[in-house]
């Protein structure tokens, strides 16, 4: 059993607060992706879990044991570093074998496990090379293989696939997921690639400015963002936010009327580009198209609703032109209402 | 325009080459020539007389003994100090500054300072006398006490020249990203394992530089030995000095100088070979 409990962890660097009371529970065998923009504190949180950095306050509990005061090697985890940290003076084989050597594993076992990890990451043919002779992506895979080789109960990965080409990344992603699921490894996976997070994770924790904004399954995060930031960060194109007047439970935009939560606050309509469809007769929410971008699988329309910028996704064969005004129909169940002052979602009526 | 500009680097380097040739290469060639000549003919007479001298084998033995004791001790001390200094958060510069003060003191001055401490009427004896541990002035640096003289010279050399190793090693340690040690720690390496398996191998280029520098200087050791023991503890450079100044025999002095140079070059070659880092193993 290796669940991870992060309990109100705060990290200050001098006067700068990199983490503000982060709490997060990762269940045994669960795969949680930490998703957030650059500088939001993902690496800092990972380093605190690993014990490489000391939290200013708060606790880390792994498998029921408070590890807050334990040195990294006693926490029973493996880690893939953001900048790989592959040992330059050891061959790829010795790098991957390092953790096993530290556990004093038998040579035969070392060889078997190293070869297994290397095969998984497609680095078998570089085993006797030195890291300096590898490309960035190959080095990164050595770092992942080194972590997988020890078959850890807890695995921390800091953007482990960031340097691979799109095709290889997709393949590695699928294989990683299968291997980690089979081994029942509790995983925290840092990324700022949302499709990676969506595809891999059981749950996603979206971080912003040293806080966790929302934790939930990929679908929850996508469909019901808890804050304006999450809505805008997840999804491509990002969610549109349209300021509307809500009176007596109804918001009117053009000749469209949407039921809204009557709270008497300033609010914004959060609308995903793909949740709107072009109405056949031009009725509904008026959308002024400025640019049409054919993306192959769909058309990306950029324009404005009620004078506010918006992006809408339309079917690839839709007949629309720049400068045109079209009408959009939306399913009221699929929109998010955001309180303009707090930036948080308002519970649906 | 590579053809037009290709002479510029040579022109720019010419003054320093001329400088080196005039002040280093010329005297070197002259010294070598001097050591191999008797009158105007080529001869090994100087070397024969050098090797036949009463003090020669003692000087060779002492010089090697001193080097073999002092240099490893200095490297171990400097490694320990460098590791501690790089772990400091506050006041690191101040500590480093204090530790490097001996570097600013000339070796003769350092030798005289230790002489003031250790001679018959020195501070050490005063202290020991005050504590009632000795009856009266006791000689530590005489011919009758070769081991305490040797120990005193080792001590003075450690005090005087460990800092240069320290500075080189600290510079080297700072070049090693801390992630390597952190990764090793995550994967279960204890502190000593991290030091031997990660830090030391990555520090090899700096260790090589420090060892070459210190060993060459150790073979040339003179002023500290001369200040503390005079000719009670003959060393190669000291013998060269004696033949040059006291005996006015420049040929034999030159032979000693060439011998020291040959030993230094050999030691350097050994270090370059044994501690070589293959380019693909560099970070
Ligand atoms: N050692 C440190 N001293 C001072 N500030 C630091 C230190 N480490 C990180 N920070 C600051 O803490 C914040 C979070 O850094 P962190 O490395 O955790 O970001 P990140 O989310 O991993 O970003 P990225 O996606 O770019 O890797 C940043 O603003 C950074 O400047
Ligand atoms: Mg990071």
């Amino acid at each position: 059993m290796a669940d991870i409990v992060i309990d109100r962890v705060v990290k200050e660097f001098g006067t700068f607060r990199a983490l503000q009371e982060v709490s997060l529970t990762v269940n045994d065998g669960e795969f949680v992706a930490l998703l957030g923009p650059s500088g939001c504190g993902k690496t800092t949180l990972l380093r605190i879990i690993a014990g490489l950095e000391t939290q200013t306050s708060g606790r880390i509990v792994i498998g029921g044991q408070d590890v807050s005061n334990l040195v990294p090697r006693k926490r029973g985890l493996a880690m893939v570093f953001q900048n790989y940290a592959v040992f330059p003076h050891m061959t790829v084989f010795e790098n991957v074998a390092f953790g096993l050597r530290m556990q004093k594993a038998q040579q035969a076992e070392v060889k078997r496990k190293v070869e297994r990890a290397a095969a998984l990451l497609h680095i078998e043919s570089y085993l006797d090379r030195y890291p300096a002779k590898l490309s960035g992506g190959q080095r990164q895979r050595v770092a992942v293989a080194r972590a997988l080789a020890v078959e850890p109960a807890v695995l921390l990965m800091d953007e482990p696939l960031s340097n691979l080409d799109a095709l290889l990344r997709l393949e590695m992603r699928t294989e990683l997921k299968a291997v980690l699921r089979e081994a029942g490894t509790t995983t925290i996976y840092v990324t700022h690639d949302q499709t990676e997070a969506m595809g891999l994770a059981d749950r996603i924790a979206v971080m912003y400015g040293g806080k966790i904004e929302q934790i939930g399954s990929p679908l929850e995060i996508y469909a019901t963002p808890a804050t304006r930031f999450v809505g805008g960060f997840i999804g491509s194109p990002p969610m549109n936010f349209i300021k509307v007047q809500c009176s007596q439970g109804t918001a009117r935009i053009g000749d469209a009327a949407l039921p809204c939560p009557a709270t008497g606050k300033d609010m914004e309509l959060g609308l995903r580009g793909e949740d709107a469809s072009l109405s056949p007769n031009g009725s509904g929410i008026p959308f002024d198209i400025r640019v049409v971008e054919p993306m192959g699988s769909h058309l990306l329309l950029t324009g404005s609703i009620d004078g506010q910028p918006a992006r809408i996704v339309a079917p690839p064969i839709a007949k629309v032109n720049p400068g045109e005004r079209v009408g959009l129909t939306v399913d009221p169940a699929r929109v998010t209402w955001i309180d303009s002052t707090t930036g948080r979602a308002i519970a649906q009526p | 325009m590579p053809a037009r500009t290709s002479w510029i680097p040579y022109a720019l380097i010419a003054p320093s080459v001329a400088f080196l040739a005039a002040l280093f290469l010329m005297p070197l060639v002259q010294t070598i020539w001097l050591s191999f000549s008797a009158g105007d003919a080529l001869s090994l007479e100087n070397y024969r007389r050098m090797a036949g001298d009463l003090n020669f084998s003692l000087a060779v033995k002492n010089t090697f003994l001193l080097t073999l004791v002092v240099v490893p001790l200095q490297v171990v001390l400097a490694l320990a100090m460098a590791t501690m200094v790089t772990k400091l958060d506050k006041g690191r510069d101040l500590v480093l500054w204090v530790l490097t003060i001996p570097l600013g003191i000339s070796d003769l001055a350092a030798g005289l300072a230790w002489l003031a401490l250790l001679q018959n009427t020195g501070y050490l004896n005063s202290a020991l006398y005050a504590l009632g541990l000795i009856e009266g002035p006791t000689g530590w640096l005489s011919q009758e006490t070769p081991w305490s003289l040797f120990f005193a010279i080792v001590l003075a050399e450690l005090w005087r020249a460990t800092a240069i190793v320290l500075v080189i090693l600290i510079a080297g340690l700072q070049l090693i990203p801390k992630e390597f040690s952190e990764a090793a720690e995550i994967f279960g390496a204890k502190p000593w394992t991290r030091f031997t398996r990660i830090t030391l191998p990555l520090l090899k280029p700096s260790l090589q530089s420090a060892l070459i520098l210190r060993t060459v200087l150790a073979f040339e050791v003179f002023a500290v030995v001369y200040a503390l023991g005079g000719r009670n503890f003959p060393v190669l450079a000291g013998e060269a000095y004696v033949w040059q100044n006291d005996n006015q025999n420049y040929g034999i002095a030159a032979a000693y100088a060439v011998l020291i140079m040959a030993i230094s070059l050999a030691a350097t070659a050994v270090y370059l070979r044994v501690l070589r880092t293959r380019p693909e193993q560099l970070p």
Side-chain angles (χ1 to χ4, degrees):
Chain A
M1 286 297 287
D3 55 329
I4 307 169
V5 179
I6 300 162
D7 183 20
R8 284 166 295 159
V9 164
V10 174
K11 178 65 185 178
E12 284 166 359
F13 293 109
T15 57
F16 175 72
R17 244 181 187 224
L19 295 177
Q20 352 212 0
E21 291 232 340
V22 170
S23 292
L24 172 67
T25 302
V26 183
N27 300 318
D28 183 41
E30 195 182 17
F31 194 122
V32 167
L34 269 185
L35 181 62
S38 189
C40 70
K42 307 181 294 292
T43 299
T44 306
L45 183 57
L46 224 55
R47 288 174 59 85
I48 288 175
I49 300 171
L52 296 172
E53 209 89 59
T54 318
Q55 63 270 36
T56 310
S57 67
R59 294 185 315 149
I60 305 287
V61 181
I62 297 178
Q65 188 194 6
D66 187 339
V67 297
S68 306
N69 295 317
L70 289 187
V71 294
R73 75 188 141 86
K74 298 210 171 130
R75 298 190 179 197
L77 42 77
M79 182 166 169
V80 179
F81 287 71
Q82 185 166 12
N83 46 9
Y84 326 147
V86 168
F87 307 127
H89 59 294
M90 298 181 194
T91 59
V92 170
F93 184 98
E94 281 309 318
N95 264 285
V96 178
F98 190 83
L100 298 165
R101 297 253 190 257
M102 290 302 117
Q103 295 168 2
K104 310 234 181 320
Q106 296 296 317
Q107 178 62 21
E109 187 193 347
V110 171
K111 198 162 176 321
R112 186 169 51 79
K113 290 189 171 171
V114 168
E115 276 165 4
R116 188 160 160 254
L120 191 72
L121 275 303
H122 301 335
I123 51 171
E124 315 91 309
S125 48
Y126 319 128
L127 280 176
D128 48 9
R129 284 208 217 165
Y130 284 94
K133 294 246 166 119
L134 300 182
S135 74
Q138 290 166 340
R139 242 176 278 174
Q140 194 163 32
R141 283 181 278 154
V142 174
V144 177
R146 179 174 64 182
L148 290 182
V150 294
E151 295 167 4
V154 171
L155 178 56
L156 309 175
M157 294 199 268
D158 202 343
E159 306 193 19
L161 306 179
S162 60
N163 241 320
L164 307 186
D165 62 75
L167 207 62
L168 194 55
R169 192 185 315 188
L170 197 65
E171 185 185 340
M172 295 281 117
R173 194 160 97 191
T174 332
E175 288 184 12
L176 261 186
K177 184 168 180 166
V179 167
L180 294 176
R181 166 142 315 153
E182 193 190 330
T185 311
T186 310
T187 309
I188 300 185
Y189 186 103
V190 166
T191 177
H192 40 211
D193 178 344
Q194 44 167 306
T195 50
E196 207 168 276
M198 294 267 192
L200 277 170
D202 299 320
R203 284 191 301 153
I204 297 178
V206 181
M207 280 188 81
Y208 178 57
K211 278 204 294 276
I212 292 188
E213 293 267 303
Q214 185 174 6
I215 312 171
S217 71
L219 267 181
E220 273 166 25
I221 300 264
Y222 185 79
T224 53
T227 63
R228 188 199 285 119
F229 172 79
V230 175
F233 191 69
I234 306 275
S236 167
M239 188 176 251
N240 301 298
F241 297 101
I242 316 290
K243 282 202 167 58
V244 292
Q245 287 296 318
C246 181
S247 56
Q248 281 133 27
T250 310
R252 295 193 176 278
I253 318 164
D255 58 2
L258 281 171
C260 61
T263 56
K265 295 177 194 152
D266 282 343
M267 61 177 71
E268 289 165 29
L269 167 66
L271 174 64
R272 291 234 172 254
E274 57 272 33
D275 285 343
S277 48
L278 304 174
S279 63
N281 54 5
S283 67
I285 301 172
F287 177 57
D288 298 307
I289 303 174
R290 203 154 47 79
V291 180
V292 178
E293 293 170 77
M295 309 299 283
S297 64
H298 61 268
L299 293 180
L300 179 59
L301 312 178
T302 308
S304 57
I305 294 172
D306 202 13
Q308 301 169 59
R311 282 208 176 89
I312 299 297
V313 172
I317 43 144
K319 297 226 168 353
V320 288
N321 297 304
E324 201 178 336
R325 169 173 282 200
V326 295
L328 304 173
T329 53
V330 300
D331 177 356
R334 299 193 65 112
V335 301
T336 304
W337 294 97
I338 304 279
D339 183 330
S340 288
T341 42
T342 62
R344 305 198 69 83
I346 305 168
Q348 293 285 2
Chain B
M1 304 189 290
R4 257 173 60 101
T5 51
S6 61
W7 57 270
I8 291 183
Y10 296 99
L12 291 177
I13 207 173
S16 28
V17 170
F19 185 81
L20 267 182
L23 294 174
F24 177 73
L25 230 46
M26 282 280 287
L28 180 68
V29 171
Q30 272 178 350
T31 305
I32 294 176
W33 167 246
L34 193 60
S35 75
F36 281 107
S37 61
D40 268 343
L42 213 57
S43 140
L44 287 176
E45 181 57 23
N46 287 326
Y47 287 91
R48 212 170 354 252
R49 282 190 62 194
M50 170 179 85
D53 186 63
L54 209 57
N55 269 341
F56 175 73
S57 58
L58 198 55
V60 171
K61 193 188 107 203
N62 283 345
T63 307
F64 271 88
L65 190 64
L66 205 53
T67 306
L68 287 177
V69 170
V70 166
V71 174
L73 270 177
Q74 283 180 325
V75 169
V76 171
L77 274 175
L79 265 176
M81 277 153 57
T83 312
M84 285 188 265
V85 168
T86 46
K87 288 231 162 63
L88 292 177
D89 281 335
K90 287 199 193 83
R92 163 155 84 184
D93 292 347
L94 182 69
V95 171
L96 190 57
W97 186 72
V98 170
L99 287 177
T100 50
I101 287 178
L103 280 186
I105 295 168
S106 85
D107 45 359
L108 186 60
L112 292 174
W114 280 89
L115 183 66
L117 282 173
L118 301 176
Q119 67 186 339
N120 290 0
T121 54
Y123 298 110
L124 176 70
N125 278 344
S126 308
L128 289 179
Y129 183 71
L131 289 171
L133 293 174
I134 52 174
E135 312 275 274
T138 312
W140 303 106
L141 307 174
S142 69
Q143 226 162 358
E144 289 78 54
T145 54
W147 285 108
S148 76
L149 173 60
F150 178 70
F151 185 72
I153 294 171
V154 168
L155 208 61
E157 275 294 287
L158 288 183
W159 177 84
R160 184 183 72 80
T162 303
I164 186 73
V165 186
L166 176 70
V167 169
I168 296 174
L169 293 188
I170 284 181
L173 278 176
Q174 282 169 344
L175 284 180
I176 305 176
K178 68 178 189 332
E179 281 81 9
F180 294 135
S181 194
E182 287 179 349
E185 192 175 3
I186 293 268
F187 287 103
K190 296 188 178 129
W192 180 250
T193 314
R194 293 204 293 278
F195 181 70
T196 53
R197 299 270 323 248
I198 307 294
T199 311
L200 267 189
L202 292 177
L203 198 58
K204 217 161 68 173
S206 309
L207 272 175
Q208 188 187 49
S209 311
L211 274 170
I212 290 175
L213 191 64
R214 258 319 293 154
T215 307
V216 167
L217 289 175
F219 281 124
E220 290 171 5
V221 67
F222 170 55
V224 166
V225 175
Y226 202 71
L228 285 177
R231 278 191 92 185
N232 289 342
F233 190 85
V235 288
L236 289 174
E239 290 309 296
Y241 175 81
V242 168
W243 282 103
Q244 174 92 7
N245 284 313
D246 299 356
N247 304 351
Q248 302 273 321
N249 188 325
Y250 303 136
I252 295 179
Y256 269 104
V258 172
L259 177 66
I260 294 171
M261 191 180 73
I263 294 172
S264 298
L265 286 176
T268 305
V270 169
Y271 284 133
L272 285 178
R273 174 124 195 97
V274 174
L275 291 177
R276 124 184 132 259
T277 309
R278 287 150 71 183
E280 68 260 32
Q281 294 185 350
L282 286 172

